[in-house]
Every structure is written in structure tokens, then in C-alpha cells.
Amino acid sequence: MSRKPVPAQSGERSRVELLFDKPQLLSQLFGQYDQHLVALENRLGVYITARGNRVGLEGTAEQVALARDTLNDLYHRIQRGEEVDTGLVDAAIAMAAEPVLDGIIRADSGSGAPSVMIRTRKKTIVPRTPAQAHYMRELTSHEMIFALGPAGTGKTYIAVAQAVSQLISGSVQRLILSRPAVEAGEKLGFLPGDMKEKVDPYLRPLYDALHDCLPAEQVERRIASGEIEIAPIAFMRGRTLADAFVILDEAQNTTPAQMKMFLTRFGQNSRMVICGDPNQTDLPGGVPASGLADATFRLEGVEGISLCRFTAGDVVRHPIVGRIVEAYEGKEA
């Protein structure tokens, strides 16, 4: 493989050759029609050549170092059985560009293992951005975590994965997922069916995350046995949630009174994660300030509580989602 060189930025030119010991994995590393290598060239300004199991990198010393770290990271992920797509390539490039801070972002450079991961029955989740790596570490070291940021940053998905992992290992006895039943800017009117059928549409994103971490039959069996409970926040009043991993999603749509009620359900040997986007509140007019904003103002700095903040740069959906978030946050209508 050889393409027209990409002009490098100013600086002394450097060249490095990488040797990969498993040529059968390189088709995944390079991508269809070498699209992953093209992405590296375009994003980092390097020139890449590939012959057999040897990959040459040319550019400034900084560009080459970033490309080398990114390719090695992607190669180790493939060795561990992960599927590499364009989104993961973009995330790996962003991770490589971050400094290493106390082992939070990357593990020992020669180990090939991520510094933090979450194992579930169906997949292993590894961080795609530095903020996700920090969030995963906070999930293991704090009893209550507020995850704040725009859609697509993995706030709820990672929390559900951690909850499933702890449920499987037996460190908690129950998994409780909750959400306010608030429409996103439209009135749906009367919904037919029993209570479960009425509230299920609001809770569908939580079901989706669960099915990504557990086989469908296990999800249904654990819901039937009460090990997993998915319910609107209104159902939490009067309860004490002990030996449980509790997740509140779309927390920006709670009122301060609802948030206080929910947080005070916390029981012995429990963990609680509150996820939400402070800039995307769907509360109807006349309702007081969001319970999420009120809680983070009151509780920031309280011992045992961690606040993890995500930005548009942490969006791990299609790259255009991150650009949309940036556009909406940067311009007021």
C-alpha cells in the first residue's frame, strides 16, 4: 500500500517502522480499503506505507509518535477480540493525543492491556476517551457519582455495564434503573395498556443498554426474579435501596424535590449513579430549576460523591454528533 504523501506540519521529519507479529490481524487494523490508515493520515498529517506486516510512518516527531501509539493501541484491542470501526479509530486518535496522567489514561506502555475495563457476559467495555477512563475509575472508588454531559458520551451505557458486572460478580444483589417519565418536548397524551406498557417507552434506552451487556434470556429472567428493576422515579418514594446498584438516567428532567427524594433512598452497600445533560432539560414551563443542577451545586465537594463531566469532545457516536453538540452549545438561538 502506498499513497501520495500527506504534507507534514513544520518541524524536523521523523520516520518509524512498526513490525506486527500477526499479519492475519492487519486487515482489521487497516480497515476496508485502508480506511483506518487514511483516517490516521488525515487526522495526524502523517504519511503511512504498509508492506506485508511492516508499517512505515513519516512526519514530524510528534505526529509519528501519535500515529505509532494509535496503531499499537488499535492492534492490542484487536488481539483482545475487540471490533475496530471508524468510531473507535477516531477515539483512539483522541486518546493518544492526551498526556498520560498517573496511569489513568493508559496502562504500562508494553503491557498491551487497558488501564481500566468493564467485563460483562456479552462484551468487554474499554474507555474511548480520557473522560470515560476517569469515569470508569470513579465508578469503582466512589459510592455516588454524578455523570454530566451531552448525549453520546457513554454516561448511562458505562454505568449500566458496571452495574451488570457487579451484579454478575455478586458484589450487589440488585440492579435498579430509573428515569423520569417526561416527554421530550411533545405531549403524547393518553397511552393505552397497563402501567408497565405506559412507562416502558420512557425506559427503552435502559433496556437497550442492558441487552448490550447481557443475553436477552438473562435480562428477562433477572427482571422476572426482581434482580433487575426498571421503573420511573415516581416509584422510588418510600424505599431504601440497600445492596443495590442504582442508576438514574435523564436526571436533568427531575425537580429538586424529586432529586432529593431519590438521593435519600441510598442504602447500605449500594452505589448510585446519576446521569444527565444539564443543557437538555425537558421540564415543562413553570417547573422550578432542574433537580440535577440543584444537586450538583449543593453536593460538589461532599465526601464520597464524585462529579464526572463530559464535553462534546467525548461524544463516541458518529463524529457528526459531536459537531452538532458543539454547534448547539456555542450558539444561542
Side-chain angles (χ1 to χ4, degrees), residues 226-291:
E227 288 181 89
I228 296 177
E229 179 181 349
I230 305 177
I233 191 172
F235 288 19
M236 298 295 110
R237 185 174 295 279
R239 304 178 61 182
T240 299
L241 306 175
D243 296 305
F245 198 115
V246 189
I247 299 172
L248 175 61
D249 191 27
E250 299 292 339
Q252 73 275 5
N253 290 329
T254 62
T255 65
Q258 284 178 318
M259 179 62 77
K260 180 182 177 183
M261 177 274 292
F262 182 83
L263 296 177
T264 52
R265 302 307 94 200
F266 193 86
Q268 292 293 327
N269 190 37
S270 289
R271 291 193 183 276
M272 186 175 281
V273 182
I274 299 93
C275 305
D277 179 1
N279 297 323
Q280 204 175 49
T281 302
D282 299 313
L283 290 169
V287 173
S290 164

Side-chain angles (χ1 to χ4, degrees), residues 181-192 198 201-202 253 281-287:
V182 176
E183 294 101 339
E186 57 182 322
K187 298 296 182 183
L188 300 179
F190 173 78
L191 294 175
K198 291 178 187 293
Y202 299 101
N253 290 329
T281 302
D282 299 313
L283 290 169
V287 173

Side-chain angles (χ1 to χ4, degrees), residues 29 70 73 93 106 110 177-178 181 301 315:
L29 179 65
T70 303
D73 177 46
I93 293 170
R106 289 194 294 276
L177 307 173
S178 186
V315 173

Side-chain angles (χ1 to χ4, degrees), residues 1 25-38 78 84-86 89:
M1 181 205 78
L25 301 181
L26 295 185
S27 61
Q28 298 177 61
L29 179 65
F30 296 169
Q32 188 175 22
Y33 304 116
D34 298 330
Q35 61 179 341
H36 299 159
L37 300 184
V38 172
I78 293 169
V84 172
D85 56 20
T86 53
V89 172

Side-chain angles (χ1 to χ4, degrees), residues 8 74 143 171 250 254 293:
L74 293 171
E143 295 175 314
S171 56
E250 299 292 339
T254 62

